[in-house]
Amino acid sequence: MKWLITGAVSALALTTTTAFADIKIAHVYGKTGPFEAYAKQSHDGLMLGLEYATGGTMEINGEKIVVIEKDSQLKPDIGKALLEEAYGDDEVDLAVGPVSSGVALAMLPVAEEYEKLLIVEPAVADSITGANYNRYIFRTSRNSSQDAVANAIALAGENVHIATLAQDYAFGRDGIAAFREALEGQGQAIAHEEYAPTDTTDFTAAAERIFTAMKDLEGDKKLFIIWAGGGNPMSKIQAMDPSRFGVEIATGGNILAALKAYKDFPGLEGATYYYYDIPKNDVNDWLVATHQDRFGTPPDFFTAGGMSAGIAVVEAIKKAGGTDTEDLISAMEGMEWETPKGTMKFRAEDHQAMQPMYHFKIRVDDDVEWAIPELVRELGIDDLPIPVRN
């Protein structure tokens, strides 16, 4: 049976069934906008996680789960207002989301004001569980530091010079700050940093500044790119022939649609949060088989994250014995649970989920429509020195 709720039909169903629900969860996420693909994966994964963790009943201890969807449209003010509506008017027990780090930062104070939990998935900025953290925030998604430390381990080395290019907003800025710190921990520095607006389509000027900074350096030279959504600059910069300056493109993992562009970069290395064929465990086996059966495709980057959040919700409520916020906080601090990536653990100090990451190298197979991130090494929780930033 499918538990996915979509469109106008779901709105009617929620109106008629919410009154009978015992456990209400708001999913506040950017259903429309440039991150729409991420949002769909996140919601599909959340619903699959709830289904998996409840054995298909969508009930916890006999109490029905109802998920109320709210579209932030990737706008911080709308996300904030919708979370207020969810906690206040809808009287949800907790909320999950959003997709955008900028929206998440606007939502965090609302959780504190209403003293209700917000499980952040999949927004990444370090500041969510760092400078802007409050005790009502838990995050199942990886943070910028986890991306950064994993990529630094994958890319750094003796006589390696790394420049960076990122989007000029919280995700990109936090990501590069964390990457810089991770490199410094290995005795290296970033050779040059560039930031571009999220809607940039012409990367010529930024690339030329990077090439100028890198061309006279001796040794291996890499351009590490952090980019989310459309307009990824990798192919455009590659078309400018960075190899004439000895510069190679490097980046982290991405969704399957974006991995199609990676076919132009055989041998590219980096670190990724998830690729469906890498983790070997029962939860991921179920996710891959179920997603393939229902949607005709393998699960993607944010599907795994959404599922991890859904399982965390169920396990926390079971452990707490109900939906009382203080009981949930006590239950979730230090909680370990099984996900498509294996074991995750909420760190008590900042409520960030500790989790494995994966060093990969791109392999191209003509029979596969996207590039394949082959596992070089799994980076376990103990391999990743993730700083506490709150």
Side-chain angles (χ1 to χ4, degrees):
M1 181 175 181
K2 296 185 181 180
W3 299 100
L4 303 182
I5 304 173
T6 56
V9 174
S10 72
L12 177 59
L14 290 170
T15 300
T16 58
T17 63
T18 297
F20 303 101
D22 292 308
I23 298 171
K24 289 192 285 187
I25 301 166
H27 192 197
V28 184
Y29 66 118
K31 291 179 66 174
T32 54
F35 294 169
E36 184 176 343
Y38 301 174
K40 184 182 187 308
Q41 291 175 26
S42 184
H43 186 70
D44 288 350
L46 174 65
M47 301 305 290
L48 288 167
L50 294 171
E51 175 185 349
Y52 178 85
T54 60
T57 66
M58 295 299 276
E59 295 181 352
I60 304 173
N61 299 328
E63 297 183 342
K64 183 178 179 181
I65 300 170
V66 168
V67 177
I68 301 173
E69 296 182 51
K70 294 180 181 291
D71 182 8
S72 73
Q73 302 173 48
L74 289 182
K75 297 176 181 177
D77 57 336
I78 293 178
K80 178 177 182 289
L82 290 175
L83 188 59
E84 290 171 340
E85 178 182 83
Y87 290 145
D89 298 343
D90 299 322
E91 298 181 342
V92 300
D93 295 295
L94 58 88
V96 178
V99 176
S100 161
S101 292
V103 177
L105 292 172
M107 290 168 58
L108 304 185
V110 179
E112 186 170 36
E113 177 186 351
Y114 283 84
E115 299 183 347
K116 291 284 187 77
L117 290 190
L118 171 61
I119 298 177
V120 174
E121 173 67 48
V124 175
D126 269 349
S127 47
I128 293 166
T129 45
N132 295 87
Y133 160 89
N134 67 66
R135 65 190 295 269
Y136 301 98
I137 305 305
F138 285 80
R139 174 159 52 184
T140 52
S141 65
R142 90 284 189 199
N143 65 17
S144 291
S145 287
Q146 286 164 315
D147 274 347
V149 171
N151 276 288
I153 291 171
L155 299 176
E158 187 175 354
N159 205 28
V160 175
H161 306 282
I162 304 174
T164 61
L165 171 64
Q167 286 161 308
D168 193 7
Y169 85 115
F171 168 69
R173 290 276 178 179
D174 278 13
I176 296 303
F179 184 68
R180 184 191 314 114
E181 181 181 65
L183 283 179
E184 289 170 352
Q186 300 187 52
Q188 294 192 236
I190 294 178
H192 182 79
E193 296 179 23
E194 282 288 333
Y195 299 91
T198 57
D199 58 354
T200 300
T201 57
D202 185 352
F203 296 92
T204 304
E208 291 293 352
R209 287 192 292 270
I210 292 165
F211 298 157
T212 298
M214 299 282 279
K215 63 181 182 180
D216 295 327
L217 299 176
E218 297 293 332
D220 293 333
K221 292 176 276 191
K222 302 177 188 289
L223 169 57
F224 177 58
I225 297 173
I226 296 179
W227 205 267
N232 193 310
M234 285 174 53
S235 296
K236 293 181 178 180
I237 292 177
Q238 185 74 352
M240 298 173 66
D241 191 17
S243 62
R244 61 197 160 112
F245 303 108
V247 176
E248 296 179 350
I249 302 292
T251 193
N254 214 318
I255 64 174
L256 297 178
L259 286 178
K260 293 177 182 179
Y262 287 41
K263 294 192 82 169
D264 293 333
F265 303 90
L268 177 149
E269 291 190 65
T272 191
Y273 167 78
Y274 177 80
Y275 178 70
Y276 70 91
D277 199 37
I278 292 179
K280 306 301 180 185
N281 61 68
D282 291 343
V283 183
N284 194 55
D285 290 347
W286 183 92
L287 172 59
V288 172
T290 303
H291 199 279
Q292 186 71 49
D293 179 59
R294 294 187 187 176
F295 302 103
T297 63
D300 215 335
F301 212 75
F302 298 104
T303 321
M307 185 174 185
S308 299
I311 297 172
V313 168
V314 176
E315 294 303 315
I317 293 173
K318 286 180 179 178
K319 186 178 178 184
T323 57
D324 176 80
T325 298
E326 291 301 322
D327 290 343
L328 285 170
I329 291 173
S330 296
M332 293 170 74
E333 289 184 340
M335 185 180 85
E336 295 185 9
W337 75 105
E338 296 307 310
T339 80
K341 296 180 64 179
T343 302
M344 287 190 186
K345 180 178 181 178
F346 281 126
R347 186 162 58 183
E349 295 90 336
D350 61 356
H351 301 173
Q352 173 63 48
M354 299 292 99
Q355 58 196 279
M357 300 286 282
Y358 310 102
H359 175 186
F360 70 85
K361 187 172 186 177
I362 288 296
R363 177 172 66 86
V364 176
D365 183 334
D366 290 341
D367 294 327
V368 179
E369 61 181 299
W370 52 77
I372 301 167
E374 285 202 321
L375 182 66
V376 175
R377 174 190 172 195
E378 179 173 329
L379 303 172
I381 291 173
D382 293 337
D383 297 317
L384 300 167
I386 309 302
V388 177
R389 301 190 183 279
N390 64 344

mmCIF file with all atom_site columns, all heavy atoms in Angstrom, residues 8 28 43-44 52 83 172 175 187 201 208 221 258 264 266 291 319 334 336 359 369 388:
data_model
loop_
_atom_site.group_PDB
_atom_site.id
_atom_site.type_symbol
_atom_site.label_atom_id
_atom_site.label_alt_id
_atom_site.label_comp_id
_atom_site.label_asym_id
_atom_site.label_entity_id
_atom_site.label_seq_id
_atom_site.pdbx_PDB_ins_code
_atom_site.Cartn_x
_atom_site.Cartn_y
_atom_site.Cartn_z
_atom_site.occupancy
_atom_site.B_iso_or_equiv
_atom_site.pdbx_formal_charge
_atom_site.auth_seq_id
_atom_site.auth_comp_id
_atom_site.auth_asym_id
_atom_site.auth_atom_id
_atom_site.pdbx_PDB_model_num
ATOM 1   N N   . ALA A 1 8   ? -4.172 18.135 -4.447  1.00 0.00 ? 8   ALA A N   1
ATOM 2   C CA  . ALA A 1 8   ? -5.429 18.604 -3.868  1.00 0.00 ? 8   ALA A CA  1
ATOM 3   C C   . ALA A 1 8   ? -6.149 17.496 -3.126  1.00 0.00 ? 8   ALA A C   1
ATOM 4   O O   . ALA A 1 8   ? -6.843 17.728 -2.143  1.00 0.00 ? 8   ALA A O   1
ATOM 5   C CB  . ALA A 1 8   ? -6.331 19.147 -4.975  1.00 0.00 ? 8   ALA A CB  1
ATOM 6   N N   . VAL A 1 28  ? 7.102  20.918 6.527   1.00 0.00 ? 28  VAL A N   1
ATOM 7   C CA  . VAL A 1 28  ? 7.226  22.248 5.931   1.00 0.00 ? 28  VAL A CA  1
ATOM 8   C C   . VAL A 1 28  ? 8.436  22.214 5.017   1.00 0.00 ? 28  VAL A C   1
ATOM 9   O O   . VAL A 1 28  ? 9.582  22.151 5.487   1.00 0.00 ? 28  VAL A O   1
ATOM 10  C CB  . VAL A 1 28  ? 7.376  23.329 7.018   1.00 0.00 ? 28  VAL A CB  1
ATOM 11  C CG1 . VAL A 1 28  ? 7.410  24.714 6.375   1.00 0.00 ? 28  VAL A CG1 1
ATOM 12  C CG2 . VAL A 1 28  ? 6.248  23.242 8.038   1.00 0.00 ? 28  VAL A CG2 1
ATOM 13  N N   . HIS A 1 43  ? 10.151 14.317 0.841   1.00 0.00 ? 43  HIS A N   1
ATOM 14  C CA  . HIS A 1 43  ? 8.819  13.917 1.297   1.00 0.00 ? 43  HIS A CA  1
ATOM 15  C C   . HIS A 1 43  ? 8.569  12.431 1.067   1.00 0.00 ? 43  HIS A C   1
ATOM 16  O O   . HIS A 1 43  ? 8.043  11.741 1.950   1.00 0.00 ? 43  HIS A O   1
ATOM 17  C CB  . HIS A 1 43  ? 7.742  14.748 0.606   1.00 0.00 ? 43  HIS A CB  1
ATOM 18  C CG  . HIS A 1 43  ? 6.370  14.463 1.144   1.00 0.00 ? 43  HIS A CG  1
ATOM 19  N ND1 . HIS A 1 43  ? 5.974  14.848 2.400   1.00 0.00 ? 43  HIS A ND1 1
ATOM 20  C CD2 . HIS A 1 43  ? 5.325  13.773 0.612   1.00 0.00 ? 43  HIS A CD2 1
ATOM 21  C CE1 . HIS A 1 43  ? 4.736  14.432 2.631   1.00 0.00 ? 43  HIS A CE1 1
ATOM 22  N NE2 . HIS A 1 43  ? 4.322  13.778 1.556   1.00 0.00 ? 43  HIS A NE2 1
ATOM 23  N N   . ASP A 1 44  ? 8.953  11.948 -0.114  1.00 0.00 ? 44  ASP A N   1
ATOM 24  C CA  . ASP A 1 44  ? 8.800  10.508 -0.368  1.00 0.00 ? 44  ASP A CA  1
ATOM 25  C C   . ASP A 1 44  ? 9.551  9.711  0.694   1.00 0.00 ? 44  ASP A C   1
ATOM 26  O O   . ASP A 1 44  ? 9.048  8.710  1.221   1.00 0.00 ? 44  ASP A O   1
ATOM 27  C CB  . ASP A 1 44  ? 9.328  10.149 -1.754  1.00 0.00 ? 44  ASP A CB  1
ATOM 28  C CG  . ASP A 1 44  ? 8.448  10.647 -2.888  1.00 0.00 ? 44  ASP A CG  1
ATOM 29  O OD1 . ASP A 1 44  ? 7.315  11.106 -2.599  1.00 0.00 ? 44  ASP A OD1 1
ATOM 30  O OD2 . ASP A 1 44  ? 8.890  10.595 -4.046  1.00 0.00 ? 44  ASP A OD2 1
ATOM 31  N N   . TYR A 1 52  ? 8.099  2.306  7.102   1.00 0.00 ? 52  TYR A N   1
ATOM 32  C CA  . TYR A 1 52  ? 9.047  1.250  7.479   1.00 0.00 ? 52  TYR A CA  1
ATOM 33  C C   . TYR A 1 52  ? 9.095  1.061  8.996   1.00 0.00 ? 52  TYR A C   1
ATOM 34  O O   . TYR A 1 52  ? 9.020  -0.072 9.500   1.00 0.00 ? 52  TYR A O   1
ATOM 35  C CB  . TYR A 1 52  ? 10.444 1.606  6.954   1.00 0.00 ? 52  TYR A CB  1
ATOM 36  C CG  . TYR A 1 52  ? 11.512 0.606  7.324   1.00 0.00 ? 52  TYR A CG  1
ATOM 37  C CD1 . TYR A 1 52  ? 11.723 -0.532 6.543   1.00 0.00 ? 52  TYR A CD1 1
ATOM 38  C CD2 . TYR A 1 52  ? 12.299 0.783  8.453   1.00 0.00 ? 52  TYR A CD2 1
ATOM 39  C CE1 . TYR A 1 52  ? 12.700 -1.465 6.878   1.00 0.00 ? 52  TYR A CE1 1
ATOM 40  C CE2 . TYR A 1 52  ? 13.280 -0.147 8.799   1.00 0.00 ? 52  TYR A CE2 1
ATOM 41  C CZ  . TYR A 1 52  ? 13.472 -1.261 8.007   1.00 0.00 ? 52  TYR A CZ  1
ATOM 42  O OH  . TYR A 1 52  ? 14.436 -2.185 8.350   1.00 0.00 ? 52  TYR A OH  1
ATOM 43  N N   . LEU A 1 83  ? 5.225  27.421 9.759   1.00 0.00 ? 83  LEU A N   1
ATOM 44  C CA  . LEU A 1 83  ? 5.554  26.673 10.967  1.00 0.00 ? 83  LEU A CA  1
ATOM 45  C C   . LEU A 1 83  ? 4.747  27.200 12.152  1.00 0.00 ? 83  LEU A C   1
ATOM 46  O O   . LEU A 1 83  ? 4.267  26.421 12.992  1.00 0.00 ? 83  LEU A O   1
ATOM 47  C CB  . LEU A 1 83  ? 7.050  26.744 11.251  1.00 0.00 ? 83  LEU A CB  1
ATOM 48  C CG  . LEU A 1 83  ? 7.541  25.830 12.378  1.00 0.00 ? 83  LEU A CG  1
ATOM 49  C CD1 . LEU A 1 83  ? 7.240  24.369 12.072  1.00 0.00 ? 83  LEU A CD1 1
ATOM 50  C CD2 . LEU A 1 83  ? 9.040  26.025 12.633  1.00 0.00 ? 83  LEU A CD2 1
ATOM 51  N N   . GLY A 1 172 ? 26.416 27.840 0.884   1.00 0.00 ? 172 GLY A N   1
ATOM 52  C CA  . GLY A 1 172 ? 27.751 27.939 0.303   1.00 0.00 ? 172 GLY A CA  1
ATOM 53  C C   . GLY A 1 172 ? 28.779 28.519 1.256   1.00 0.00 ? 172 GLY A C   1
ATOM 54  O O   . GLY A 1 172 ? 29.897 28.002 1.387   1.00 0.00 ? 172 GLY A O   1
ATOM 55  N N   . GLY A 1 175 ? 29.479 26.125 4.052   1.00 0.00 ? 175 GLY A N   1
ATOM 56  C CA  . GLY A 1 175 ? 30.188 24.972 3.513   1.00 0.00 ? 175 GLY A CA  1
ATOM 57  C C   . GLY A 1 175 ? 31.659 25.236 3.310   1.00 0.00 ? 175 GLY A C   1
ATOM 58  O O   . GLY A 1 175 ? 32.515 24.413 3.676   1.00 0.00 ? 175 GLY A O   1
ATOM 59  N N   . GLY A 1 187 ? 46.687 20.766 7.977   1.00 0.00 ? 187 GLY A N   1
ATOM 60  C CA  . GLY A 1 187 ? 47.868 21.543 7.646   1.00 0.00 ? 187 GLY A CA  1
ATOM 61  C C   . GLY A 1 187 ? 47.851 22.171 6.276   1.00 0.00 ? 187 GLY A C   1
ATOM 62  O O   . GLY A 1 187 ? 48.903 22.515 5.732   1.00 0.00 ? 187 GLY A O   1
ATOM 63  N N   . THR A 1 201 ? 24.602 32.362 -14.193 1.00 0.00 ? 201 THR A N   1
ATOM 64  C CA  . THR A 1 201 ? 24.670 31.478 -15.358 1.00 0.00 ? 201 THR A CA  1
ATOM 65  C C   . THR A 1 201 ? 25.994 31.614 -16.106 1.00 0.00 ? 201 THR A C   1
ATOM 66  O O   . THR A 1 201 ? 26.375 30.719 -16.852 1.00 0.00 ? 201 THR A O   1
ATOM 67  C CB  . THR A 1 201 ? 23.522 31.774 -16.335 1.00 0.00 ? 201 THR A CB  1
ATOM 68  O OG1 . THR A 1 201 ? 23.570 33.159 -16.723 1.00 0.00 ? 201 THR A OG1 1
ATOM 69  C CG2 . THR A 1 201 ? 22.173 31.482 -15.686 1.00 0.00 ? 201 THR A CG2 1
ATOM 70  N N   . GLU A 1 208 ? 38.080 32.685 -14.332 1.00 0.00 ? 208 GLU A N   1
ATOM 71  C CA  . GLU A 1 208 ? 39.346 33.321 -14.706 1.00 0.00 ? 208 GLU A CA  1
ATOM 72  C C   . GLU A 1 208 ? 40.135 33.753 -13.475 1.00 0.00 ? 208 GLU A C   1
ATOM 73  O O   . GLU A 1 208 ? 41.364 33.630 -13.429 1.00 0.00 ? 208 GLU A O   1
ATOM 74  C CB  . GLU A 1 208 ? 39.084 34.529 -15.624 1.00 0.00 ? 208 GLU A CB  1
ATOM 75  C CG  . GLU A 1 208 ? 38.560 34.180 -17.012 1.00 0.00 ? 208 GLU A CG  1
ATOM 76  C CD  . GLU A 1 208 ? 39.585 33.440 -17.867 1.00 0.00 ? 208 GLU A CD  1
ATOM 77  O OE1 . GLU A 1 208 ? 40.762 33.318 -17.457 1.00 0.00 ? 208 GLU A OE1 1
ATOM 78  O OE2 . GLU A 1 208 ? 39.193 32.962 -18.954 1.00 0.00 ? 208 GLU A OE2 1
ATOM 79  N N   . LYS A 1 221 ? 46.416 20.436 -8.541  1.00 0.00 ? 221 LYS A N   1
ATOM 80  C CA  . LYS A 1 221 ? 45.527 21.587 -8.356  1.00 0.00 ? 221 LYS A CA  1
ATOM 81  C C   . LYS A 1 221 ? 44.081 21.153 -8.594  1.00 0.00 ? 221 LYS A C   1
ATOM 82  O O   . LYS A 1 221 ? 43.771 20.580 -9.637  1.00 0.00 ? 221 LYS A O   1
ATOM 83  C CB  . LYS A 1 221 ? 45.927 22.718 -9.309  1.00 0.00 ? 221 LYS A CB  1
ATOM 84  C CG  . LYS A 1 221 ? 47.279 23.337 -8.974  1.00 0.00 ? 221 LYS A CG  1
ATOM 85  C CD  . LYS A 1 221 ? 47.710 24.378 -9.981  1.00 0.00 ? 221 LYS A CD  1
ATOM 86  C CE  . LYS A 1 221 ? 48.391 23.745 -11.167 1.00 0.00 ? 221 LYS A CE  1
ATOM 87  N NZ  . LYS A 1 221 ? 49.055 24.759 -12.030 1.00 0.00 ? 221 LYS A NZ  1
ATOM 88  N N   . ALA A 1 258 ? 21.669 15.171 -11.286 1.00 0.00 ? 258 ALA A N   1
ATOM 89  C CA  . ALA A 1 258 ? 22.900 15.954 -11.378 1.00 0.00 ? 258 ALA A CA  1
ATOM 90  C C   . ALA A 1 258 ? 24.099 15.070 -11.717 1.00 0.00 ? 258 ALA A C   1
ATOM 91  O O   . ALA A 1 258 ? 25.052 15.529 -12.365 1.00 0.00 ? 258 ALA A O   1
ATOM 92  C CB  . ALA A 1 258 ? 23.153 16.695 -10.065 1.00 0.00 ? 258 ALA A CB  1
ATOM 93  N N   . ASP A 1 264 ? 30.996 13.550 -17.592 1.00 0.00 ? 264 ASP A N   1
ATOM 94  C CA  . ASP A 1 264 ? 32.090 14.255 -18.268 1.00 0.00 ? 264 ASP A CA  1
ATOM 95  C C   . ASP A 1 264 ? 33.349 14.295 -17.421 1.00 0.00 ? 264 ASP A C   1
ATOM 96  O O   . ASP A 1 264 ? 34.362 14.855 -17.840 1.00 0.00 ? 264 ASP A O   1
ATOM 97  C CB  . ASP A 1 264 ? 31.672 15.694 -18.596 1.00 0.00 ? 264 ASP A CB  1
ATOM 98  C CG  . ASP A 1 264 ? 30.569 15.766 -19.634 1.00 0.00 ? 264 ASP A CG  1
ATOM 99  O OD1 . ASP A 1 264 ? 30.470 14.830 -20.451 1.00 0.00 ? 264 ASP A OD1 1
ATOM 100 O OD2 . ASP A 1 264 ? 29.807 16.753 -19.640 1.00 0.00 ? 264 ASP A OD2 1
ATOM 101 N N   . PRO A 1 266 ? 35.165 11.495 -15.595 1.00 0.00 ? 266 PRO A N   1
ATOM 102 C CA  . PRO A 1 266 ? 35.602 10.190 -15.076 1.00 0.00 ? 266 PRO A CA  1
ATOM 103 C C   . PRO A 1 266 ? 36.831 10.353 -14.190 1.00 0.00 ? 266 PRO A C   1
ATOM 104 O O   . PRO A 1 266 ? 37.736 11.133 -14.504 1.00 0.00 ? 266 PRO A O   1
ATOM 105 C CB  . PRO A 1 266 ? 35.926 9.396  -16.345 1.00 0.00 ? 266 PRO A CB  1
ATOM 106 C CG  . PRO A 1 266 ? 36.136 10.422 -17.418 1.00 0.00 ? 266 PRO A CG  1
ATOM 107 C CD  . PRO A 1 266 ? 35.250 11.571 -17.071 1.00 0.00 ? 266 PRO A CD  1
ATOM 108 N N   . HIS A 1 291 ? 11.454 1.468  -3.287  1.00 0.00 ? 291 HIS A N   1
ATOM 109 C CA  . HIS A 1 291 ? 11.436 2.647  -4.159  1.00 0.00 ? 291 HIS A CA  1
ATOM 110 C C   . HIS A 1 291 ? 11.434 2.230  -5.625  1.00 0.00 ? 291 HIS A C   1
ATOM 111 O O   . HIS A 1 291 ? 10.717 2.822  -6.448  1.00 0.00 ? 291 HIS A O   1
ATOM 112 C CB  . HIS A 1 291 ? 12.643 3.536  -3.840  1.00 0.00 ? 291 HIS A CB  1
ATOM 113 C CG  . HIS A 1 291 ? 12.504 4.942  -4.325  1.00 0.00 ? 291 HIS A CG  1
ATOM 114 N ND1 . HIS A 1 291 ? 12.751 5.304  -5.633  1.00 0.00 ? 291 HIS A ND1 1
ATOM 115 C CD2 . HIS A 1 291 ? 12.117 6.080  -3.681  1.00 0.00 ? 291 HIS A CD2 1
ATOM 116 C CE1 . HIS A 1 291 ? 12.543 6.616  -5.761  1.00 0.00 ? 291 HIS A CE1 1
ATOM 117 N NE2 . HIS A 1 291 ? 12.158 7.099  -4.603  1.00 0.00 ? 291 HIS A NE2 1
ATOM 118 N N   . LYS A 1 319 ? 10.332 5.633  22.147  1.00 0.00 ? 319 LYS A N   1
ATOM 119 C CA  . LYS A 1 319 ? 11.239 5.707  23.298  1.00 0.00 ? 319 LYS A CA  1
ATOM 120 C C   . LYS A 1 319 ? 10.698 6.637  24.369  1.00 0.00 ? 319 LYS A C   1
ATOM 121 O O   . LYS A 1 319 ? 10.813 6.357  25.578  1.00 0.00 ? 319 LYS A O   1
ATOM 122 C CB  . LYS A 1 319 ? 12.617 6.167  22.827  1.00 0.00 ? 319 LYS A CB  1
ATOM 123 C CG  . LYS A 1 319 ? 13.693 6.148  23.906  1.00 0.00 ? 319 LYS A CG  1
ATOM 124 C CD  . LYS A 1 319 ? 15.053 6.572  23.345  1.00 0.00 ? 319 LYS A CD  1
ATOM 125 C CE  . LYS A 1 319 ? 16.098 6.601  24.458  1.00 0.00 ? 319 LYS A CE  1
ATOM 126 N NZ  . LYS A 1 319 ? 17.408 7.114  23.955  1.00 0.00 ? 319 LYS A NZ  1
ATOM 127 N N   . GLY A 1 334 ? 21.334 11.715 22.331  1.00 0.00 ? 334 GLY A N   1
ATOM 128 C CA  . GLY A 1 334 ? 22.130 10.491 22.384  1.00 0.00 ? 334 GLY A CA  1
ATOM 129 C C   . GLY A 1 334 ? 21.479 9.290  21.740  1.00 0.00 ? 334 GLY A C   1
ATOM 130 O O   . GLY A 1 334 ? 22.067 8.196  21.709  1.00 0.00 ? 334 GLY A O   1
ATOM 131 N N   . GLU A 1 336 ? 20.358 6.486  19.249  1.00 0.00 ? 336 GLU A N   1
ATOM 132 C CA  . GLU A 1 336 ? 20.870 5.823  18.060  1.00 0.00 ? 336 GLU A CA  1
ATOM 133 C C   . GLU A 1 336 ? 19.715 5.122  17.353  1.00 0.00 ? 336 GLU A C   1
ATOM 134 O O   . GLU A 1 336 ? 18.823 4.580  18.010  1.00 0.00 ? 336 GLU A O   1
ATOM 135 C CB  . GLU A 1 336 ? 21.949 4.799  18.422  1.00 0.00 ? 336 GLU A CB  1
ATOM 136 C CG  . GLU A 1 336 ? 23.200 5.421  19.023  1.00 0.00 ? 336 GLU A CG  1
ATOM 137 C CD  . GLU A 1 336 ? 24.302 4.395  19.249  1.00 0.00 ? 336 GLU A CD  1
ATOM 138 O OE1 . GLU A 1 336 ? 24.145 3.232  18.784  1.00 0.00 ? 336 GLU A OE1 1
ATOM 139 O OE2 . GLU A 1 336 ? 25.302 4.737  19.894  1.00 0.00 ? 336 GLU A OE2 1
ATOM 140 N N   . HIS A 1 359 ? 33.755 8.415  0.700   1.00 0.00 ? 359 HIS A N   1
ATOM 141 C CA  . HIS A 1 359 ? 34.740 8.882  -0.282  1.00 0.00 ? 359 HIS A CA  1
ATOM 142 C C   . HIS A 1 359 ? 34.513 8.081  -1.564  1.00 0.00 ? 359 HIS A C   1
ATOM 143 O O   . HIS A 1 359 ? 34.515 6.852  -1.543  1.00 0.00 ? 359 HIS A O   1
ATOM 144 C CB  . HIS A 1 359 ? 36.146 8.660  0.288   1.00 0.00 ? 359 HIS A CB  1
ATOM 145 C CG  . HIS A 1 359 ? 37.254 8.993  -0.664  1.00 0.00 ? 359 HIS A CG  1
ATOM 146 N ND1 . HIS A 1 359 ? 38.581 8.740  -0.380  1.00 0.00 ? 359 HIS A ND1 1
ATOM 147 C CD2 . HIS A 1 359 ? 37.265 9.570  -1.896  1.00 0.00 ? 359 HIS A CD2 1
ATOM 148 C CE1 . HIS A 1 359 ? 39.341 9.127  -1.376  1.00 0.00 ? 359 HIS A CE1 1
ATOM 149 N NE2 . HIS A 1 359 ? 38.547 9.642  -2.322  1.00 0.00 ? 359 HIS A NE2 1
ATOM 150 N N   . GLU A 1 369 ? 22.716 5.788  -17.036 1.00 0.00 ? 369 GLU A N   1
ATOM 151 C CA  . GLU A 1 369 ? 22.507 7.148  -17.535 1.00 0.00 ? 369 GLU A CA  1
ATOM 152 C C   . GLU A 1 369 ? 23.175 8.214  -16.687 1.00 0.00 ? 369 GLU A C   1
ATOM 153 O O   . GLU A 1 369 ? 23.294 9.365  -17.107 1.00 0.00 ? 369 GLU A O   1
ATOM 154 C CB  . GLU A 1 369 ? 21.020 7.465  -17.675 1.00 0.00 ? 369 GLU A CB  1
ATOM 155 C CG  . GLU A 1 369 ? 20.226 7.401  -16.396 1.00 0.00 ? 369 GLU A CG  1
ATOM 156 C CD  . GLU A 1 369 ? 18.749 7.704  -16.627 1.00 0.00 ? 369 GLU A CD  1
ATOM 157 O OE1 . GLU A 1 369 ? 18.454 8.815  -17.088 1.00 0.00 ? 369 GLU A OE1 1
ATOM 158 O OE2 . GLU A 1 369 ? 17.915 6.821  -16.355 1.00 0.00 ? 369 GLU A OE2 1
ATOM 159 N N   . VAL A 1 388 ? 31.596 20.861 17.422  1.00 0.00 ? 388 VAL A N   1
ATOM 160 C CA  . VAL A 1 388 ? 30.367 21.373 18.004  1.00 0.00 ? 388 VAL A CA  1
ATOM 161 C C   . VAL A 1 388 ? 30.432 22.888 17.889  1.00 0.00 ? 388 VAL A C   1
ATOM 162 O O   . VAL A 1 388 ? 31.384 23.517 18.383  1.00 0.00 ? 388 VAL A O   1
ATOM 163 C CB  . VAL A 1 388 ? 30.225 20.939 19.473  1.00 0.00 ? 388 VAL A CB  1
ATOM 164 C CG1 . VAL A 1 388 ? 28.970 21.549 20.098  1.00 0.00 ? 388 VAL A CG1 1
ATOM 165 C CG2 . VAL A 1 388 ? 30.195 19.414 19.570  1.00 0.00 ? 388 VAL A CG2 1
#
